[in-house]
Every structure is written in structure tokens, then in C-alpha cells.
Amino acid sequence: MILNLKNYILEFFYRRKFIRLNKKIFNKRVSKKSNKIFLVEFNKFHNFHVIYSVFSNYYKKNYNCTVQGFFNYSLLSAPLKFNILNQLKWTIGNFINLKTFAIYRSFGVDKIFKPNVDENILNSAENFYNNNFFKIKKKEDVLKLEVKNILIGDLLYDTYLKSRIIPTINIFSEDFKKFFLDFLKLYFFWYYFFKTNNVCGVVASHGVYSYGLILRIAENKKIPCFVLNTNYLSRFKSKNYGGSIIGDFTNYKNDFKYLKKNIQKKTFYKSKKILNQKFSGKTGVEVNMEYADVSSFSKNKKKNALSKSGKFKVLISTHDFFDAVHIFGKGFFVDFYEWLIFLGKISAKTNYEWYIKNHPIYGGKFKKYQIFTDQIVNNIIKIFPHIKLLPNNTSNKQLIYEGLGAVLTVYGSVAAEFPFFGIPVLNASKLNPHCSYSFSKTPNSRKEYEYHILNLSTLSVPTNAKKEIIEYHSMRHMVEENWLFGSYANMLKKIGGYHNLQTFSFYKYWLNYCDKSVIEESEKKINFFLKSGGVRLHRYY
């Protein structure tokens, strides 16, 4: 109780100081009357408040536009239509500038709104639903859903899984039918919004789930869209899927060749050093794992993780079932649950020893969903008891030492880890971050994938796998992490780690760090990024 009260007081104190700082440094008005609008996502996340304040004011100053905040959490963490109490809180908070409303207004946001379904939107949604829902006969059909030539099926699918905390969908359930219609309402709200407003740019926190709906519609209308974070600036490109975060991974190999030779050497050397640290059990921002408190390559060792039989040993490396399943596009399976069910069935046709392992428990905001993942996997192995579940904290080092034969993933990071030690990895998606390299096996079809499952012992790792993996990591982490801070790593250290990005500790850091030169330097980087036309702000911009 005392700790909660202390945190509440500190939150209030640093929020007020942050608001005063914003009013001091972001006091520029639109120079002349303009009907252009720059849209910025309205949320409660402390680090995004700083990011949006800098980026939106750059836009306001250079494009002579007003800034409006939009609520972007409908259907994911909030219903499309608020109940009476929540609507009252929203209306009062918006009117008298309470808490987050006051923060956004302090850096120049003129209006803050949330999606509202009127009769026109409702009619459009119901007409589309009545004319198209009956065509959905299986889960795969949901992923193909387009409205006015804009693909939204993957966003709908992933939002449903995340909001319901379930591993797969039932297209015949009444709940899914209602959700489907609500998603259409949200689509048509944004469709008509862009028809009736002059929007010159949109920035959001993510390009997945229902977050990405506004971005896809805006992009379709050739409006610049951005997905920003504390450690990257990126341009949203729906056809590039996960490229909003990691760049155009389909061209990593070719793009590396076009880097200057000195940059190739520099990034290669740095990535090699980072990988060696990662494989020695280190975690944290120094090894590009700021979100992880526990390493998959820890020194922790327990006896006999794998049996001592001479059978070929296969590890299934799971994914969190609700974590943006289609971030990289459509795989060979509609979701992670169906992938595991398939592996359970086909495993009975093999003479391998089968093992399955979930992520180590990272803690923080990830813990909640990892617990559900563990429960679902436990239920699956009850159906397929010949698959042995390994403890979450089993070290990959131990599995390598004990003679693991192959690893299966959809598109996980293990594909760029185990081959470093000579163990082949088979991906279950043609679109994966590693697809431009050969250090892991990426089939072209589900049929080919099935063939490789039945012949895993014939898979091998290329002789140049280590070199390719180091090069891949060079490209994967080419993003400019320090666009807003002199050192992203130092900032995380001072606020007490990654999990404090969305607490008053971040405000406290920013208040001590921010000055005129910091804003000017960040604006230079934003300017270069926008003019470059690139997907991400490059580390060597």
C-alpha cells in the first residue's frame, strides 16, 4: 500500500514536470491556417509520449499542420463502444485535460478522439458482412480477407487471438462473428475518416493487430505512415510486413553487399562480438536482448535433458500463441496452435525422439502471456504424450552438448542460433527474418515442409553458416538505436531496465537529459530519415 502510494505521488510529480517541459520547448503554433492533420496515437505509455512529442512537433513545424491524437486500442484492449462509465471518464478527462490528455495537449495536440460508429459506418459494415461472411468456410479464408483491396484478415485474426487470449479461432462461434462485424466497423470508421479529412501523416506504436488498420488504410491512400519506438524510426510498409521493425529482411543478403567495405567490417566485427557474448549466456541491451532477463544459453545444467538413446532427436521451439502470429505474413499454418497439432500428428510417422521447449520466463509484461503458452503446450502434449516437454530454463548449450539433431520453428530466433553450432533448423514459413540466407532451411511450400520433417536426418548446415549468421545479425540490428538519446543502452541502465520504459522513471530520465541540443539533433535525424525514403533510420545514416 505504501509503495503504491509512493509510486502514485512520483508519477504525479514527474508527469507535471514533463508537461511543463513540453509547454516550454514545444510552443510553436501553425504559422497559417491549415486544414492538414498529422495523426498521432493516443496511449498511456511514457516512452511514446516523449517520442511523439518530438516527432509530431517536427511535422508541425515543417509541414504546417495541426496534430490530433487518436485512440488506437479498440478491439484489442478496449471495446469498440465504451460503456457508460468509461465514456463518462473519457469525456470528462478530454474536456478538462486530465492525466494523459494533459500530456498530449502539452506538446501541441489540438484534438483527441476515438472511433465512433455512426449509421453510415454501421450500414457499410453490415452490408460487407452480409455479402462476405458466408464465404468463410475455414480459418485460411479469414487470412485472405480484403476490404476495398486492402488486406485486413491477418490483422483481424491476430487481434482476435490476442484480445481473447486463445491459441486459435473458431469461425463458427457467435463471439467470432460479432468480433468480425466490429472489426469491419472499425475499418469503415477509418475509411470514411480519410475520405473526409486532409491527413498528411500517421504515427502509431505498432503495425500489427488492430493498431495496423489505420496504417494500412492511410498507406493505401499514399499518406506517409510511421511506426516509432524508443530505439528506432521506421516507415510503415504493409507489403513489407515485419519490416516496420527489422527492415526489408527479404533483401538482407544483397543489401549487405552494398554497404561500404569499412562498414561491412565494422558491423561484422561488432556482431561477432555480440553473438559470442550472447552464446556465453549474457542478456540485456549489449547483446540486443534488452527485453530478456534470462538467457536461453545460460550455464544452468541439469542431468539428462535428452535421453542417451541413439535415436535422432528433434526439438520443437515454441512461440507465444498470441504474439502477432502473422507479423511476417502468412506461413504454412494459420497459427502456432495448428502448427503444433500438425507436428504432433506427423511425429507419429517418424522414429525420432521428440522434445518441446517454451521460452524462458522473461518477466515483466511478457510473463502473463508466457504462462498461458505453457498451459496450452501442456494440453497439447497430453494429446501427443510421446513428445517430451523440457523445462523452460533448459539451456540450449546443454541440448547442443547432448546431441540434438534438429530444431523446428515457424520463424523464431533459434534459426539464427543453433546452426552456429552445426545443428540444422527448419522454418515453417517462407516469410521469415532469415529467408535470404541459407544457414536455416526455408521450404517453398507446406508440401516441401512435410517432406523435410520426414527426412530431418538428411538436413545439414552450410559450411559458411557462421559467417552468414554474423552477417544476418549485422543487418538485423542495423537500425539506429540512438536517434533520440546519446546512448540507448545508457538510458536503459539509468531508468532501471527495459521494463521501466513505461513508468515515471522514463520521464525522470528525459527531464534530466532533454535540452535544446537534444531536440535539434533528433530533428536532424528525423529530417534525414524522411528524405531518405528508407524503411528504417540506418545506424550509419
Side-chain angles (χ1 to χ4, degrees):
M1 176 74 84
I2 294 173
L3 182 61
N4 288 339
L5 178 61
K6 181 182 177 182
N7 286 340
Y8 179 85
I9 293 170
L10 288 171
E11 172 71 30
F12 177 82
F13 175 74
Y14 285 110
R15 181 171 66 238
R16 297 309 303 169
K17 290 194 73 172
F18 178 58
I19 288 171
R20 284 198 294 270
L21 174 68
N22 285 340
K23 289 179 177 178
K24 179 181 177 181
I25 61 178
F26 300 125
N27 57 8
K28 182 175 178 60
R29 300 285 178 183
V30 177
S31 59
K32 58 182 179 180
K33 191 172 182 180
S34 172
N35 69 343
K36 289 189 294 185
I37 301 170
F38 182 75
L39 293 175
V40 58
E41 182 180 289
F42 177 77
N43 62 45
K44 293 184 178 181
F45 305 138
H46 299 64
N47 55 329
F48 285 106
H49 298 161
V50 171
I51 298 162
Y52 295 162
S53 69
V54 175
F55 197 86
S56 64
N57 276 277
Y58 171 89
Y59 237 86
K60 180 190 283 189
K61 185 165 64 175
N62 290 275
Y63 294 88
N64 194 54
C65 57
T66 60
V67 180
Q68 294 186 13
F70 65 95
F71 182 78
N72 201 27
Y73 292 78
S74 298
L75 300 181
L76 189 62
S77 58
L80 185 58
K81 184 178 180 180
F82 281 11
N83 60 32
I84 295 174
L85 178 59
N86 286 335
Q87 182 60 48
L88 185 62
K89 287 179 180 179
W90 172 276
T91 303
I92 293 173
N94 203 345
F95 182 73
I96 63 176
N97 281 339
L98 286 178
K99 295 184 178 180
T100 310
F101 293 99
I103 290 169
Y104 274 71
R105 296 256 161 65
S106 73
F107 62 80
V109 175
D110 294 315
K111 178 183 177 182
I112 301 169
F113 66 95
K114 62 182 179 64
N116 180 47
V117 178
D118 61 22
E119 188 175 351
N120 187 35
I121 292 167
L122 179 62
N123 289 338
S124 295
E126 288 181 341
N127 286 338
F128 186 93
Y129 178 90
N130 292 333
N131 291 325
N132 292 276
F133 188 81
F134 72 92
K135 299 175 185 176
I136 296 176
K137 308 295 184 184
K138 53 187 184 297
K139 298 177 188 180
E140 289 84 349
D141 294 336
V142 177
L143 295 176
K144 299 174 185 175
L145 179 68
E146 292 185 0
V147 183
K148 297 187 181 295
N149 298 317
I150 300 173
L151 178 67
I152 67 167
D154 57 326
L155 300 179
L156 187 157
Y157 201 112
D158 291 359
T159 305
Y160 189 73
L161 296 186
K162 184 83 167 182
S163 64
R164 299 317 193 252
I165 314 182
I166 54 175
T168 193
I169 63 175
N170 176 4
I171 59 174
F172 303 110
S173 73
E174 290 304 314
D175 183 64
F176 179 73
K177 292 175 182 177
K178 180 180 182 302
F179 181 87
F180 190 100
L181 179 59
D182 280 345
F183 206 86
L184 291 173
K185 294 174 188 174
L186 185 60
Y187 170 90
F188 280 106
F189 170 82
W190 287 118
Y191 172 77
Y192 288 117
F193 184 91
F194 286 109
K195 283 193 76 172
T196 56
N197 291 276
N198 182 13
V199 179
C200 62
V202 183
V203 60
S205 58
H206 300 80
V208 294
Y209 308 120
S210 53
Y211 302 130
L213 197 53
I214 180 176
L215 297 172
R216 289 197 184 176
I217 298 170
E219 184 204 24
N220 182 260
K221 294 183 174 295
K222 314 239 182 270
I223 297 168
C225 299
F226 308 96
V227 177
L228 311 181
N229 212 320
T230 325
N231 59 334
Y232 62 77
L233 291 174
S234 66
R235 194 182 308 271
F236 178 80
K237 298 287 184 184
S238 58
K239 291 183 179 178
N240 197 26
Y241 294 99
S244 293
I245 301 173
I246 66 173
D248 187 2
F249 54 84
T250 60
N251 286 316
Y252 274 1
K253 191 169 184 177
N254 286 331
D255 288 347
F256 186 82
K257 294 176 183 177
Y258 288 103
L259 294 175
K260 292 179 180 179
K261 293 296 180 183
N262 65 317
I263 293 178
Q264 285 185 6
K265 289 180 181 179
K266 186 175 182 178
T267 58
F268 191 88
Y269 172 79
K270 183 177 180 180
S271 293
K272 183 178 180 180
K273 183 179 178 181
I274 288 172
L275 281 175
N276 286 334
Q277 290 177 321
K278 179 181 179 181
F279 295 146
S280 71
K282 274 198 170 186
T283 59
V285 69
E286 290 84 2
V287 292
N288 300 314
M289 291 178 63
E290 63 267 32
Y291 55 85
D293 303 317
V294 183
S295 171
S296 296
F297 287 86
S298 64
K299 295 177 182 178
N300 175 45
K301 183 175 181 179
K302 296 186 177 181
K303 290 184 178 180
N304 303 324
L306 307 180
S307 81
K308 294 184 179 181
S309 75
K311 287 187 175 182
F312 190 82
K313 296 170 178 61
V314 180
L315 174 69
I316 303 169
S317 182
T318 66
H319 301 257
D320 288 341
F321 289 95
F322 333 103
D323 190 15
V325 178
H326 302 97
I327 186 172
F328 299 118
K330 186 180 176 183
F332 301 142
F333 302 90
V334 292
D335 51 46
F336 299 141
Y337 181 83
E338 292 292 351
W339 171 61
L340 289 184
I341 294 298
F342 166 83
L343 291 180
K345 290 177 180 178
I346 200 170
S347 64
K349 300 178 183 179
T350 70
N351 194 34
Y352 313 144
E353 274 183 9
W354 287 79
Y355 297 86
I356 189 167
K357 185 169 84 77
N358 300 325
H359 288 123
I361 300 297
Y362 290 145
K365 64 181 182 180
F366 303 107
K367 187 175 181 179
K368 170 185 174 183
Y369 296 106
Q370 287 186 287
I371 291 172
F372 283 112
T373 290
D374 289 351
Q375 292 172 351
I376 294 163
V377 169
N378 286 336
N379 290 333
I380 289 175
I381 61 174
K382 287 177 183 177
I383 306 172
F384 307 105
H386 60 281
I387 301 177
K388 181 182 177 182
L389 177 65
L390 297 175
N392 294 49
N393 65 345
T394 303
S395 173
N396 289 343
K397 281 184 178 179
Q398 182 178 354
L399 300 179
I400 293 164
Y401 176 78
E402 292 184 3
L404 185 65
V407 179
L408 304 177
T409 182
V410 177
Y411 49 65
S413 59
V414 292
E417 295 171 349
F418 280 99
F420 197 87
F421 301 94
I423 297 175
V425 175
L426 181 65
N427 301 296
S429 176
K430 190 174 179 181
L431 282 169
N432 65 72
H434 327 99
C435 63
S436 67
Y437 291 99
S438 61
F439 54 74
S440 64
K441 186 67 178 179
T442 298
N444 289 308
S445 65
R446 177 164 168 166
K447 184 177 180 181
E448 185 185 341
Y449 179 75
E450 292 183 27
Y451 170 82
H452 287 302
I453 293 288
L454 297 172
N455 296 276
L456 282 173
S457 60
T458 64
L459 282 183
S460 61
V461 175
T463 55
N464 66 338
K466 285 189 177 182
K467 179 178 179 296
E468 279 200 340
I469 289 171
I470 296 170
E471 184 179 304
Y472 161 77
H473 276 275
S474 297
M475 295 302 298
R476 171 72 171 81
H477 299 288
M478 191 64 71
V479 62
E480 168 59 279
E481 292 183 335
N482 303 318
W483 77 273
L484 192 53
F485 306 99
S487 168
Y488 177 64
N490 185 56
M491 179 273 291
L492 287 182
K493 184 178 179 180
K494 288 200 171 185
I495 68 171
Y498 176 83
H499 298 298
N500 278 333
L501 281 171
Q502 293 166 9
T503 69
F504 67 82
S505 296
F506 187 83
Y507 285 164
K508 182 179 178 181
Y509 174 84
W510 180 247
L511 288 164
N512 291 325
Y513 178 77
C514 179
D515 59 26
K516 186 178 179 181
S517 64
V518 169
I519 300 298
E520 289 175 349
E521 182 61 26
S522 64
E523 287 183 343
K524 285 180 185 177
K525 293 178 180 180
I526 293 170
N527 185 59
F528 179 87
F529 169 62
L530 294 180
K531 289 184 177 179
S532 73
V535 174
R536 297 185 299 172
L537 178 63
H538 197 281
R539 183 184 294 164
Y540 299 100
Y541 80 100

CSV table of all heavy atoms in Angstrom, one decimal, residues 506-524:
chain,number,residue,atom,x,y,z
A,506,PHE,N,11.1,6.9,-16.7
A,506,PHE,CA,11.4,7.4,-18.1
A,506,PHE,C,11.3,8.9,-18.1
A,506,PHE,O,12.1,9.6,-18.7
A,506,PHE,CB,10.6,6.7,-19.1
A,506,PHE,CG,11.0,7.0,-20.5
A,506,PHE,CD1,12.1,6.3,-21.1
A,506,PHE,CD2,10.4,8.1,-21.2
A,506,PHE,CE1,12.5,6.7,-22.4
A,506,PHE,CE2,10.8,8.4,-22.5
A,506,PHE,CZ,11.9,7.7,-23.1
A,507,TYR,N,10.2,9.4,-17.6
A,507,TYR,CA,10.0,10.9,-17.5
A,507,TYR,C,11.2,11.5,-16.8
A,507,TYR,O,11.7,12.6,-17.2
A,507,TYR,CB,8.7,11.3,-16.8
A,507,TYR,CG,7.4,11.0,-17.5
A,507,TYR,CD1,6.2,11.0,-16.8
A,507,TYR,CD2,7.4,10.9,-18.9
A,507,TYR,CE1,5.0,10.9,-17.5
A,507,TYR,CE2,6.2,10.7,-19.6
A,507,TYR,CZ,5.0,10.7,-18.8
A,507,TYR,OH,3.8,10.5,-19.5
A,508,LYS,N,11.5,10.9,-15.7
A,508,LYS,CA,12.6,11.5,-14.8
A,508,LYS,C,13.9,11.6,-15.6
A,508,LYS,O,14.6,12.6,-15.6
A,508,LYS,CB,12.8,10.6,-13.6
A,508,LYS,CG,13.9,11.1,-12.6
A,508,LYS,CD,14.0,10.1,-11.4
A,508,LYS,CE,15.1,10.6,-10.5
A,508,LYS,NZ,15.2,9.6,-9.3
A,509,TYR,N,14.2,10.5,-16.4
A,509,TYR,CA,15.4,10.5,-17.2
A,509,TYR,C,15.4,11.6,-18.3
A,509,TYR,O,16.3,12.4,-18.5
A,509,TYR,CB,15.6,9.1,-17.9
A,509,TYR,CG,16.8,9.1,-18.8
A,509,TYR,CD1,18.1,8.9,-18.4
A,509,TYR,CD2,16.6,9.4,-20.2
A,509,TYR,CE1,19.1,8.9,-19.3
A,509,TYR,CE2,17.6,9.4,-21.1
A,509,TYR,CZ,18.9,9.2,-20.6
A,509,TYR,OH,20.0,9.2,-21.5
A,510,TRP,N,14.2,11.7,-19.0
A,510,TRP,CA,14.1,12.6,-20.0
A,510,TRP,C,14.2,14.1,-19.5
A,510,TRP,O,14.8,14.9,-20.2
A,510,TRP,CB,12.8,12.4,-20.7
A,510,TRP,CG,12.5,13.4,-21.9
A,510,TRP,CD1,11.5,14.3,-21.9
A,510,TRP,CD2,13.2,13.4,-23.1
A,510,TRP,NE1,11.5,15.0,-23.1
A,510,TRP,CE2,12.5,14.5,-23.9
A,510,TRP,CE3,14.2,12.7,-23.7
A,510,TRP,CZ2,13.0,14.8,-25.2
A,510,TRP,CZ3,14.7,13.1,-25.0
A,510,TRP,CH2,14.0,14.1,-25.7
A,511,LEU,N,13.7,14.3,-18.4
A,511,LEU,CA,13.7,15.7,-17.8
A,511,LEU,C,15.2,16.1,-17.5
A,511,LEU,O,15.5,17.3,-17.7
A,511,LEU,CB,12.9,15.7,-16.5
A,511,LEU,CG,11.4,15.7,-16.6
A,511,LEU,CD1,10.7,15.3,-15.3
A,511,LEU,CD2,10.9,17.0,-17.2
A,512,ASN,N,16.0,15.2,-17.2
A,512,ASN,CA,17.4,15.5,-16.9
A,512,ASN,C,18.2,15.5,-18.2
A,512,ASN,O,19.3,16.2,-18.2
A,512,ASN,CB,18.0,14.4,-15.9
A,512,ASN,CG,17.5,14.5,-14.5
A,512,ASN,OD1,17.2,15.6,-14.1
A,512,ASN,ND2,17.3,13.4,-13.9
A,513,TYR,N,17.8,14.8,-19.2
A,513,TYR,CA,18.6,14.6,-20.4
A,513,TYR,C,18.2,15.7,-21.5
A,513,TYR,O,19.1,16.2,-22.2
A,513,TYR,CB,18.4,13.2,-21.0
A,513,TYR,CG,19.1,13.0,-22.3
A,513,TYR,CD1,20.5,12.7,-22.3
A,513,TYR,CD2,18.4,13.0,-23.5
A,513,TYR,CE1,21.2,12.5,-23.4
A,513,TYR,CE2,19.1,12.7,-24.7
A,513,TYR,CZ,20.5,12.5,-24.6
A,513,TYR,OH,21.1,12.3,-25.8
A,514,CYS,N,17.0,16.0,-21.6
A,514,CYS,CA,16.5,16.8,-22.7
A,514,CYS,C,16.9,18.3,-22.6
A,514,CYS,O,16.9,18.9,-21.5
A,514,CYS,CB,15.0,16.8,-22.8
A,514,CYS,SG,14.3,17.8,-24.1
A,515,ASP,N,17.4,18.8,-23.7
A,515,ASP,CA,17.7,20.2,-23.8
A,515,ASP,C,17.6,20.6,-25.3
A,515,ASP,O,17.2,19.8,-26.1
A,515,ASP,CB,19.1,20.6,-23.2
A,515,ASP,CG,20.2,19.9,-23.9
A,515,ASP,OD1,20.1,19.5,-25.1
A,515,ASP,OD2,21.3,19.8,-23.3
A,516,LYS,N,17.8,21.8,-25.6
A,516,LYS,CA,17.7,22.3,-27.0
A,516,LYS,C,18.5,21.5,-28.0
A,516,LYS,O,18.1,21.2,-29.1
A,516,LYS,CB,18.0,23.8,-27.0
A,516,LYS,CG,17.7,24.5,-28.4
A,516,LYS,CD,18.1,25.9,-28.4
A,516,LYS,CE,17.8,26.6,-29.7
A,516,LYS,NZ,18.2,28.0,-29.7
A,517,SER,N,19.7,21.2,-27.6
A,517,SER,CA,20.6,20.5,-28.5
A,517,SER,C,20.1,19.1,-28.8
A,517,SER,O,20.3,18.6,-29.9
A,517,SER,CB,22.0,20.4,-27.9
A,517,SER,OG,22.1,19.7,-26.7
A,518,VAL,N,19.5,18.4,-27.8
A,518,VAL,CA,19.0,17.1,-28.0
A,518,VAL,C,17.8,17.1,-29.0
A,518,VAL,O,17.7,16.3,-29.9
A,518,VAL,CB,18.4,16.5,-26.6
A,518,VAL,CG1,17.6,15.2,-26.9
A,518,VAL,CG2,19.6,16.2,-25.7
A,519,ILE,N,16.9,18.1,-28.9
A,519,ILE,CA,15.8,18.2,-29.8
A,519,ILE,C,16.4,18.5,-31.2
A,519,ILE,O,15.9,17.9,-32.2
A,519,ILE,CB,14.9,19.4,-29.4
A,519,ILE,CG1,14.3,19.1,-28.0
A,519,ILE,CG2,13.8,19.5,-30.4
A,519,ILE,CD1,13.5,17.8,-27.9
A,520,GLU,N,17.3,19.4,-31.3
A,520,GLU,CA,17.9,19.8,-32.6
A,520,GLU,C,18.6,18.6,-33.3
A,520,GLU,O,18.4,18.3,-34.5
A,520,GLU,CB,18.9,20.9,-32.5
A,520,GLU,CG,18.2,22.2,-32.2
A,520,GLU,CD,19.3,23.4,-31.9
A,520,GLU,OE1,20.5,23.0,-31.8
A,520,GLU,OE2,18.8,24.5,-31.8
A,521,GLU,N,19.3,17.8,-32.5
A,521,GLU,CA,20.0,16.6,-33.1
A,521,GLU,C,19.0,15.6,-33.5
A,521,GLU,O,19.1,15.0,-34.6
A,521,GLU,CB,20.9,16.0,-32.0
A,521,GLU,CG,21.7,14.8,-32.5
A,521,GLU,CD,22.6,15.1,-33.7
A,521,GLU,OE1,23.0,16.3,-33.9
A,521,GLU,OE2,22.9,14.2,-34.5
A,522,SER,N,17.9,15.3,-32.7
A,522,SER,CA,16.9,14.3,-33.1
A,522,SER,C,16.2,14.8,-34.4
A,522,SER,O,15.8,14.0,-35.2
A,522,SER,CB,15.9,14.1,-32.0
A,522,SER,OG,15.2,15.3,-31.7
A,523,GLU,N,15.9,16.1,-34.5
A,523,GLU,CA,15.3,16.6,-35.7
A,523,GLU,C,16.1,16.5,-36.9
A,523,GLU,O,15.6,16.2,-38.0
A,523,GLU,CB,14.9,18.1,-35.5
A,523,GLU,CG,13.7,18.3,-34.5
A,523,GLU,CD,13.3,19.7,-34.4
A,523,GLU,OE1,14.1,20.6,-34.7
A,523,GLU,OE2,12.2,20.0,-33.9
A,524,LYS,N,17.4,16.6,-36.8
A,524,LYS,CA,18.3,16.3,-37.9
A,524,LYS,C,18.2,14.9,-38.4
A,524,LYS,O,18.1,14.6,-39.6
A,524,LYS,CB,19.8,16.5,-37.5
A,524,LYS,CG,20.2,18.0,-37.4
A,524,LYS,CD,21.6,18.1,-37.0
A,524,LYS,CE,22.0,19.6,-36.8
A,524,LYS,NZ,23.5,19.6,-36.3
